Amino acid sequence: MSAYLDSFGFHVPERVVSNAELAQRVGCTAEWIESVSGIRERRWAAQETSVVDLAESAARDCLARANVDPSTVGLLIVASGSAPPGFPAPTAELAHRLGLNLTPAIDLPMASAGSIFGLVLASQLTDTYGNILVVAAEKMSAIIEAHPMEQNTAVLFGDGAGAAIVSTSGIRKLLKTAIHTDGQFRADLAYDWKSALQMNGLSVILQASRKLPTVISEVLAAAEIPASQIATVLVHQANQNLLVRVGKALQVAPEKIYSNVARYGNTSSASLLIAAAEWSRQNPPPGPVVFAGFGAGLHWGALVAE
Amino acid sequence: MPDSIHDRVLKTLKTVTTQPLPTDTDESLFESGLLDSFALPDLVTALEQEFQIKVPDSDLNPRKFDSISRIESYIAAKG
């Protein structure tokens, strides 16, 4: 595998939705929301803003930071679990907006795990396609607004988008990757656009608490890197309590588990790349970095990069 | 005499919750608030350590751990 992570970008909407605002809507307290999730606020996009709008902003941010002209993108991958149903899915419109009219573009209709699946798939395709732009964009507020949800679920989500360039050269060499799917528990986290999002929190947290450390250990073992040598762990920002448990299971110091969930909430598939983009701008420490995601399906995966 | 499965399940539960354990072994540990979604993974890990078993992902169904009696049944079935 000769693939590198080259650059990250992100975009979050301007509107901040505080716990206090949501607490009033769903009938709980701001303190309760923070205690069960670690979330203090999240961003919600305006009604007229689409998933593609969010994706385009993150994509352009990523391309500008990498100083990569959009015309050099050889493959576009867009993940979203909250894009409206139907076809064509968002990638075609994003490709058109970026001026990519011959470049292949693939949609990953995956919630939460879309970023890690996009990165891992891209890592296997760089020899053929060169610069691969991976984007994950979510407008979870549209799902919250469309159907009343249980308070346990409604308070978690935010909107945003992240992007990355995976290429044959770059800043961090990808060492090992792993992605998995198990449909046995698919009904425990599901949304069909006809009724409210269904989440069996007990089951989802139980699965995530076990699968994330396991898949991270899988890629570390394959790369022969002990967990003690990891500089940073970037995990899907689902819930602060989950991030803490992943760190404990790996026996990784808490400060190495990157977290921005307090400010953005759970932005589903976008969260991993938003976290990566912020982390990359904060003078990250040298050493191996782990990316990991988990989401509806169940789909989960991880990668380790130098 | 070695501790029974029942005693060891109670001992394990006490490591993941500070609340008093129910006397009714069929009472839901989730509905009573004794276990929440983040205590459950801790319980499964603690059971694995106490009973030297491996709970496969396919068995990670919260219903299997919803009451003291269900936990005991699961442990007994693991042999």
Side-chain angles (χ1 to χ4, degrees):
Chain A
M1 180 167 60
S2 59
Y4 292 76
L5 294 168
D6 191 42
S7 181
F8 300 100
F10 81 107
H11 171 77
V12 290
E14 287 186 13
R15 187 187 166 212
V16 175
V17 177
S18 68
N19 280 358
E21 179 181 340
L22 266 189
Q24 198 169 25
R25 286 180 53 158
V26 303
C28 63
T29 67
E31 293 74 19
W32 177 82
I33 296 172
E34 185 169 353
S35 70
V36 298
S37 66
I39 297 166
R40 298 194 192 105
E41 61 189 34
R42 71 287 293 146
R43 305 295 183 92
W44 280 10
Q47 189 173 7
E48 64 274 17
T49 300
S50 69
V51 165
V52 178
D53 293 333
L54 298 169
E56 181 183 5
S57 295
R60 292 195 182 283
D61 181 49
C62 182
L63 291 165
R65 288 179 179 276
N67 199 24
V68 166
D69 188 278
S71 64
T72 69
V73 171
L75 176 66
L76 175 63
I77 298 174
V78 178
S80 181
S82 58
F87 57 81
T91 312
E93 185 176 352
L94 179 60
H96 177 68
R97 290 192 191 187
L98 295 175
L100 303 175
N101 295 325
L102 287 173
T103 304
I106 301 170
D107 287 279
L108 297 179
M110 304 173 77
S112 300
S115 285
I116 192 65
F117 266 65
L119 292 174
V120 171
L121 292 174
S123 74
Q124 307 298 319
L125 298 169
T126 52
D127 287 341
T128 302
Y129 294 102
N131 289 335
I132 300 176
L133 178 59
V134 179
V135 185
E138 301 284 11
K139 190 178 179 185
M140 298 302 290
S141 62
I143 294 174
I144 295 170
E145 299 280 19
H147 309 283
M149 286 195 285
E150 288 186 20
Q151 65 180 26
N152 289 2
T153 310
V155 300
L156 298 176
F157 296 109
D159 301 338
I165 291 175
V166 183
S167 189
T168 52
S169 62
I171 298 168
R172 289 181 177 267
K173 181 173 173 55
L174 288 164
L175 300 175
K176 295 293 177 184
T177 66
I179 47 177
H180 302 287
T181 297
D182 178 0
Q184 181 183 353
F185 299 96
R186 64 193 181 281
D188 287 339
L189 182 52
Y191 182 63
D192 63 4
W193 291 93
K194 299 172 187 166
S195 54
L197 185 152
Q198 300 296 310
M199 184 165 83
N200 179 341
L202 284 165
S203 177
V204 172
I205 295 294
L206 181 58
Q207 293 286 339
S209 296
R210 304 273 290 200
K211 285 180 164 61
L212 282 167
T214 301
V215 74
I216 291 171
S217 297
E218 178 184 344
V219 295
L220 290 176
E224 299 182 336
I225 296 173
S228 59
Q229 289 184 11
I230 301 172
T232 307
V233 181
L234 296 160
V235 185
H236 164 47
Q237 304 284 298
N239 184 309
Q240 183 61 31
N241 296 325
L242 176 62
L243 299 183
V244 169
R245 269 164 175 75
V246 170
K248 281 184 179 175
L250 294 171
Q251 297 185 306
V252 169
E255 62 271 18
K256 292 184 178 180
I257 309 292
Y258 188 86
S259 176
N260 61 14
V261 71
R263 290 179 285 120
Y264 299 139
N266 178 343
T267 56
S268 191
S269 69
S271 82
L272 182 62
L273 290 178
I274 294 173
E278 286 203 332
W279 161 81
S280 69
R281 296 169 197 182
Q282 296 171 0
N283 297 317
V289 56
V290 167
F291 290 63
F294 170 94
L298 302 169
H299 303 293
W300 69 102
L303 65 81
V304 57
E306 282 181 326
Chain B
M1 177 187 288
D3 289 344
S4 66
I5 289 178
H6 178 76
D7 291 338
R8 293 169 70 189
V9 166
L10 296 186
K11 183 177 80 173
T12 307
L13 273 167
K14 287 175 183 172
T15 66
V16 299
T17 181
T18 55
Q19 294 187 39
L21 302 184
T23 52
D24 178 357
T25 59
D26 290 323
E27 182 176 332
S28 168
L29 301 174
F30 305 132
E31 290 176 13
S32 67
L34 193 121
L35 291 180
D36 63 18
S37 53
F38 286 100
L40 179 57
D42 292 343
L43 172 65
V44 174
T45 301
L47 290 169
E48 288 182 321
Q49 292 170 350
E50 171 64 25
F51 292 96
Q52 294 294 299
I53 58 171
K54 172 66 180 167
V55 178
D57 283 7
S58 57
D59 281 355
L60 294 178
N61 184 330
R63 286 193 296 272
K64 292 181 186 288
F65 308 96
D66 187 26
S67 66
I68 292 169
S69 60
R70 286 189 177 189
I71 296 170
E72 290 174 14
S73 297
Y74 180 76
I75 298 295
K78 293 293 284 185

